Amino acid sequence: WLAYDKEAARRSRLAERAHSTTGVKDELVSTLAIAADAYLVRRSKPAGMTVVAGYPWFADWGRDAMIALTGLTLVTGRPADARALLTTFMRLVKHGLAPNNFHDDGKSAGYNTVDAALWLIVSLERYVTLTNDLAFGKESLAKVREIIDAYIAGTNYGIQVDPKDGLLLSGNAKIQLTWMDVKIGDWVVTPRSGKPIEIQALWLGALAAEARLSGLMQEQPRYLEPYGKARESFSTFWRKNLGEDGQITERFMDVIGLSGEPDGSLRPNAALALSLPDTPLTPEQLNALINEIETNLLTTMGLHSLSPS
């Protein structure tokens, strides 16, 4: 009974933190806060706070941890855990890349991801902004710049800024670097090498985050010119597309390939891109995308990863 009472009290404190942070005190918030707790774990090798990407199949993955950070820690009133989670992945940044996943032996990590380091910067800014932890923000700004500098100069897996338009290139036909990363043998199931749309949005988000964090630290931002160039070039994703019904419509491309050819496959990645605050768009583009997703991708269980048609 002592163990039961101790755990019941701990869960009660988790619910109270979430109530205080959100300003909403009801059973749903309590349930979500306690459910979120199950995903936050500590690893021993390498040591630190991390996030289980999904029970029962997945361990911890960099992009998943950073995407989930806001919901698991910041809105549940657990800023210390957010800081610890950011520290785990920042400490292991290598050649500008955040770990994609940790190997089971605990001795090394995989780095085949273009977006984990960008999500890391976006999540770091959210943490600093919501907690006003300027000391940690100042301490982390050098790591943010290290990542951006590596992406601009070019790093592993063909990740580099295209000097012609300022957008971010990544990968080749044999490497999967985005969240659509299933690979069976040598078969990359969803090839997205080149310039995926959500990666460009994250690139813009990282560049803009550096500017805002620099402002908070009373420092000069370093990447205003690359940000402006990439932002202007984002419009290249909005193109005319011939549908299966023979109608020509304007829509967002999913990927601009390494050869410059657009992939107009209808996937949810444009929605990911437009959910980030620094992505440029017009109201017409937003409405068109929402209508397209509701018509072709939305189900009662979530979104298709590819249009059934």
Side-chain angles (χ1 to χ4, degrees):
W1 289 111
L2 289 175
Y4 180 93
D5 290 344
K6 183 178 179 180
E7 176 62 11
R10 189 186 74 87
R11 294 188 180 198
S12 179
R13 288 194 297 272
L14 291 177
E16 289 169 3
R17 281 190 203 173
H19 295 159
S20 176
T21 303
T22 62
V24 179
K25 187 175 183 178
D26 63 15
E27 186 176 346
L28 178 59
V29 170
S30 301
T31 300
L32 291 174
I34 293 167
D37 176 64
Y39 291 89
L40 291 164
V41 299
R42 292 195 174 274
R43 16 169 77 253
S44 57
K45 296 181 180 180
M49 175 70 72
T50 189
V51 170
V52 173
Y55 294 110
W57 304 113
F58 294 111
D60 41 352
W61 292 72
R63 77 168 59 84
D64 301 66
M66 294 301 108
I67 290 170
L69 182 144
T70 301
L72 295 183
T73 63
L74 296 180
V75 299
T76 55
R78 302 176 68 163
D81 290 329
R83 178 170 173 159
L85 183 56
L86 289 163
T87 300
T88 297
F89 285 89
M90 280 195 297
R91 190 175 66 245
L92 293 164
V93 166
K94 183 178 179 181
H95 305 307
L97 302 177
N100 185 38
N101 66 308
F102 297 108
H103 296 165
D104 290 340
D105 60 11
K107 296 179 180 178
S108 56
Y111 286 86
N112 57 316
T113 169
V114 62
D115 50 349
L118 302 177
W119 278 115
L120 176 59
I121 295 173
V122 168
S123 298
L124 169 68
E125 187 199 6
R126 289 177 181 170
Y127 167 78
V128 173
T129 301
L130 288 172
T131 63
N132 200 36
D133 187 350
L134 299 185
F136 187 71
K138 189 173 184 63
E139 173 188 327
S140 304
L141 194 52
K143 186 64 68 175
V144 169
R145 291 167 176 165
E146 176 188 329
I147 292 168
I148 294 174
D149 285 341
Y151 275 49
I152 290 174
T155 186
N156 300 350
Y157 307 109
I159 297 170
Q160 63 181 41
V161 169
D162 186 338
K164 292 180 289 187
D165 58 17
L167 297 176
L168 196 60
L169 284 162
S170 61
N172 59 48
K174 296 182 180 180
I175 299 175
Q176 74 286 27
L177 298 177
T178 72
W179 74 274
M180 291 184 156
D181 60 357
V182 175
K183 186 176 182 180
I184 303 172
D186 292 330
W187 176 37
V188 175
V189 177
T190 308
R192 302 186 72 229
S193 54
K195 300 170 184 174
I197 187 169
E198 81 281 9
I199 302 306
Q200 311 316 312
L202 283 164
W203 178 233
L204 289 170
L207 293 171
E210 188 276 339
R212 289 188 288 264
L213 287 169
S214 296
L216 284 174
M217 310 308 153
Q218 298 183 327
E219 297 185 23
Q220 288 297 316
R222 297 187 181 181
Y223 307 101
L224 295 181
E225 185 176 342
Y227 172 74
K229 187 173 185 178
R231 183 178 174 87
E232 184 176 344
S233 298
F234 188 83
S235 60
T236 191
F237 284 90
W238 183 253
R239 302 194 182 192
K240 287 182 169 57
N241 184 73
L242 179 63
E244 291 186 0
D245 58 1
Q247 297 294 313
I248 296 177
T249 58
E250 286 188 301
R251 56 182 293 203
F252 284 106
M253 299 294 100
D254 185 60
V255 182
I256 306 298
L258 292 170
S259 64
E261 286 297 312
D263 178 357
S265 301
L266 182 53
R267 301 185 178 114
N269 299 304
L272 287 175
L274 299 190
S275 72
L276 293 160
D278 298 295
T279 307
L281 75 157
T282 66
E284 292 75 19
Q285 290 170 339
L286 179 60
N287 289 333
L289 176 64
I290 291 173
N291 290 335
E292 195 170 50
I293 287 173
E294 287 182 340
T295 302
N296 297 284
L297 298 181
L298 185 62
T299 76
T300 55
M301 299 298 289
L303 297 181
H304 286 292
S305 58
L306 180 66
S307 169
S309 64

